[in-house]
């Protein structure tokens, strides 16, 4: 497992009973996590959390605030800064485990010795976009949610990267890639963080298991003749790292010489010393 263990302003304090206790700078939150199948004793820190996300039996959920906290604040990862705000869907606007991938992409870009163009699909609030831009790449950031793209642009401003060569696109990712193929636009690196289920701006339905393979096939067509990397991420528990590696290998790996790898990614849990699994990543990279 690859572990995002370089955070200073974020920490998983503990995990038990289907939930995790997290510190986001000086704010502590309790959020559900389907991977937490163990029931270890909970100490007083759980009772002192600032807010607790409670799931509803009818679906969805709500935040229960135990203390008055700000609607939004920011945390840092190195020179990158991100706006944090608890949403009605339990999320905060950032997936901290992805920092292990941000570091890997940044290292590849800095070591490339040439200009690098990156396509970030399902780009959310821009963690990978900002990491790549800070490393010197030009980035095309694509997400179907206008609100998420706006949030990503705020993060770019917070990080001092507002003037970097970043294209901000609100669009259905598959339709955007199809247009890029027709336009002949090519990229040296691609990052994909597809959701398990979602809808595009025109109501397009996305189901990961049904659509991930054909989309990766399409994306392979917008890579340059000498691409640098392809990162495929998944938070779906039913989609293993090995399956994702197989998909990338049968598409990108068949077209270009390089190395394939896949693994779980996770976050260290301070109390137990163990690692909380948070998803999988398959990576193709230039040899």
């Amino acid at each position: 497992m690859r572990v995002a263990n370089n955070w200073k302003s974020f920490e998983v304090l503990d995990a038990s009973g289907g939930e995790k206790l997290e510190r986001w700078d000086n704010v502590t939150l309790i959020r559900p996590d389907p991977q937490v199948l163990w029931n270890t004793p909970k100490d007083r820190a759980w009772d002192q959390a600032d807010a607790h996300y409670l799931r509803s039996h009818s679906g969805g959920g709500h935040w229960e605030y135990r203390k008055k906290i700000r609607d939004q604040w920011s945390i840092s990862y190195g020179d990158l800064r991100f706006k944090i705000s608890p949403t009605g869907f339990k999320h905060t606007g950032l997936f901290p485990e992805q920092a292990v991938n941000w570091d890997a992409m940044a290292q590849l870009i800095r070591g490339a010795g040439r200009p690098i163009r990156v396509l970030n699909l399902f780009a959310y609030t821009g963690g990978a976009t900002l990491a790549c831009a800070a490393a010197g790449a030009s980035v095309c950031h694509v997400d179907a949610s206008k609100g998420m793209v706006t949030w990503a642009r705020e993060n770019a401003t917070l990080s001092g990267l507002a003037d970097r060569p970043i294209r901000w696109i609100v669009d259905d990712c598959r339709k955007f890639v199809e247009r890029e193929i027709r336009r002949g636009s090519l990229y040296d690196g691609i990052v994909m963080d597809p959701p398990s289920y979602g809808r595009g701006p025109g109501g397009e339905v996305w189901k990961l298991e049904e659509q991930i393979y054909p989309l990766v096939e399409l994306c392979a067509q917008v890579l340059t003749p000498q691409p640098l990397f392809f990162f495929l991420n998944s938070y779906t528990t039913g989609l293993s790292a090995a399956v994702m590696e197989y998909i990338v290998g049968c598409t990108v790996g068949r077209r270009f010489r390089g190395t394939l790898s896949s693994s779980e990614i996770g976050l260290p849990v301070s109390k137990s010393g163990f690692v909380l699994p948070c998803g999988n990543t398959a990576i193709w990279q230039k040899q």
Side-chain angles (χ1 to χ4, degrees):
M1 182 183 291
R2 296 163 58 239
V3 182
N5 53 14
N6 291 325
W7 282 97
K8 300 294 189 294
S9 59
F10 169 84
E11 181 182 8
V12 180
L13 299 169
D14 197 7
S16 180
E19 297 179 313
K20 54 191 174 183
L21 173 65
E22 304 166 310
R23 176 181 64 83
W24 299 82
D25 194 21
N26 60 354
V27 178
T28 53
L29 305 176
I30 299 172
R31 297 193 294 156
D33 192 311
Q35 299 275 44
V36 182
L37 303 180
W38 49 91
N39 284 287
T40 49
K42 294 183 177 181
D43 60 22
R44 290 182 58 191
W46 290 80
D47 299 324
Q48 296 169 352
D50 297 311
H52 187 182
Y53 187 87
L54 301 172
R55 286 205 178 279
S56 168
H57 294 299
S58 58
H62 68 280
W63 286 96
E64 178 185 86
Y65 291 96
R66 299 170 177 176
K67 302 175 185 176
K68 184 175 178 59
I69 64 173
R70 292 163 287 170
D71 292 336
Q72 61 186 56
W73 63 98
S74 64
I75 68 171
S76 60
Y77 184 75
D79 293 332
L80 305 180
R81 292 196 64 82
F82 303 98
K83 183 184 83 172
I84 303 301
S85 181
T87 70
F89 301 99
K90 87 170 182 176
H91 298 302
T92 62
L94 193 67
F95 292 96
E97 68 276 3
Q98 286 297 324
V100 72
N101 287 329
W102 306 340
D103 291 344
M105 286 180 268
Q107 183 176 5
L108 289 168
I109 291 166
R110 291 190 177 104
R114 58 188 171 96
I116 298 296
R117 296 187 71 212
V118 174
L119 174 61
N120 187 7
L121 299 172
F122 308 96
Y124 196 48
T125 60
T129 293
L130 301 188
C132 291
S138 59
V139 186
C140 183
H141 174 110
V142 186
D143 198 280
S145 168
K146 183 178 180 180
M148 290 301 106
V149 175
T150 299
W151 195 330
R153 297 187 76 154
E154 292 178 48
N155 287 337
T157 299
L158 284 172
S159 299
L161 299 171
D163 61 345
R164 295 297 176 97
I166 304 172
R167 293 175 62 203
W168 306 100
I169 307 293
V170 179
D171 202 352
D172 174 79
C173 288
R174 181 185 180 91
K175 290 183 177 179
F176 179 80
V177 173
E178 289 172 340
R179 285 198 298 274
E180 291 292 83
I181 291 171
R182 293 195 294 270
R183 287 188 285 243
S185 297
L186 299 177
Y187 298 88
D188 303 288
I190 295 179
V191 191
M192 293 176 59
D193 281 283
S196 300
Y197 179 85
R199 289 186 178 274
E204 305 87 349
V205 176
W206 165 269
K207 292 183 179 178
L208 181 65
E209 290 84 351
E210 295 177 7
Q211 294 172 269
I212 188 61
Y213 182 78
L215 181 57
V216 174
E217 277 190 308
L218 275 178
C219 288
Q221 298 179 51
V222 294
L223 286 168
T224 58
Q226 294 184 313
L228 186 63
F229 62 73
F230 191 105
F231 280 67
L232 173 61
N233 298 302
S234 173
Y235 309 97
T236 303
T237 55
L239 196 62
S240 71
V243 167
M244 293 165 57
E245 182 176 336
Y246 201 106
I247 290 171
V248 175
C250 287
T251 52
V252 179
R254 288 276 171 84
R255 294 172 67 102
F256 305 101
R257 290 175 60 88
T259 59
L260 274 171
S261 63
S262 64
S263 66
E264 285 187 286
I265 58 175
L267 290 162
V269 180
S270 297
K271 184 179 180 181
S272 68
F274 299 129
V275 175
L276 177 65
C278 300
N280 301 306
T281 302
I283 303 170
W284 175 94
Q285 65 184 78
K286 181 184 176 182
Q287 287 179 322

